[in-house]
Amino acid sequence: MPRESKFDAVKLRTLINEGKSAQQIMDAFGVKKPMIKSYLARLIQLDEKFYKIEGMDGRAVSGSPVFKKTGLHLGATLLKNYGFSEGDEFRFSVPEAGKIVLEKI
């Protein structure tokens, strides 16, 4: 029995028009970059219009941040995919157990 596709043209079009990055769109659909590329191609074919997603050309983020002896490492690619730039300063808070929030200052 084939798996059901998560493709949703309206949702993808909305996310692209809102300027969401590739990483944010992957998170919204719960799929990896190759599937987003496939969805993008389908949307372009449906609308007969070209769409560009910021971050599709860059490396995909491999894995999730992990807490180790040396601390929590958030890779540059991960941060860039969420709209942060080199040199940005952050404030962090812990609103509840198990959740960390980073805010750009």
Side-chain angles (χ1 to χ4, degrees):
M1 192 167 183
R3 290 189 325 198
E4 191 171 319
S5 174
K6 295 181 181 181
F7 178 71
D8 180 344
V10 173
K11 181 178 179 180
L12 180 58
R13 191 178 300 111
T14 301
L15 292 169
I16 293 170
N17 289 335
E18 289 175 354
K20 301 295 184 189
S21 70
Q23 185 66 50
Q24 291 168 320
I25 294 171
M26 287 187 283
D27 292 344
F29 279 93
V31 297
K32 297 186 189 263
K33 190 178 263 187
M35 190 57 66
I36 294 298
K37 286 183 179 183
S38 172
Y39 292 174
L40 180 60
R42 284 175 69 180
L43 185 64
I44 289 171
Q45 187 176 22
L46 281 173
D47 293 354
E48 296 180 355
K49 177 181 174 185
F50 178 76
Y51 293 97
K52 180 161 176 61
I53 299 175
E54 189 65 37
M56 286 300 285
D57 299 332
R59 276 184 61 218
V61 176
S62 58
S64 298
V66 177
F67 180 60
K68 296 182 179 183
K69 283 192 259 184
T70 57
L72 179 65
H73 177 74
L74 302 172
T77 303
L78 174 72
L79 292 171
K80 184 177 178 190
N81 285 340
Y82 282 101
F84 298 108
S85 304
E86 190 172 330
D88 286 346
E89 292 185 21
F90 300 91
R91 172 181 33 235
F92 77 94
S93 59
V94 183
E96 60 187 67
K99 186 173 187 175
I100 297 173
V101 176
L102 285 179
E103 295 177 83
K104 190 173 6 177
I105 299 174

